[in-house]
Amino acid sequence: MTITVLAVHLFLCVFDRLPFFRLLFSVLCHGVYSLNLKTFPFIQLTSLPFLASCVLVFADHFLWFNYFMQNHRPFMDIASFFGVCVWLIPFTYFISLSANDNALPLSDPNAADTIPSQQKKGLLKSLLGALGMKTQEPAIPTTHVTEDVSMSYMSTTPSVGMTSSVRSHYSASSRQVQNRKMA
């Protein structure tokens, strides 16, 4: 994808006569973005290539924004240029970093267990951890249900540990289901 975007930069220089040095700066930005591929998908938020990429995406945006403010073009041309030549590669990296690593397909399902737990965290949790903020654990604990759920609803005897309002709700619901089946 980066090579395609670089080819678009070349075509824009040749056919649309966009400024050479601004296009060269964008090409250099894409070179810095590609340095993140060395350790991809495990990118350290404090590494020099990642921090440089964050700065350069804003610099590239404002460089081209100033150019298009001085040289008016149709809106769709400007929007297409920004979408493909300025934002596509950085946003693609950002979106792929925020994906859950365990959701990626692996040839060996046990390989996910060899990844250190520090690297299994998503981008947002890593960023909040770097800023010193604690992430919250899930509010609802999950449990494993071993019995057949449909049979537990049909039972008229209340389960151990259920409150009386929940028991009466499920007992009334199961009676209504049984009455509907009979009718």
Side-chain angles (χ1 to χ4, degrees), residues 1 13 29 33 44 78 82 100 154 161 169:
M1 190 172 4
C13 183
C29 290
Y33 303 154
Q44 296 292 327
I78 296 170
F82 273 90
N100 184 358
M154 297 302 286
H169 171 74

Side-chain angles (χ1 to χ4, degrees), residues 25 28-30 32-33 51-61:
F25 180 76
L28 292 175
C29 290
H30 282 82
V32 172
Y33 303 154
L51 294 174
S53 296
C54 292
V55 170
L56 287 175
V57 73
F58 288 109
D60 196 27
H61 171 85

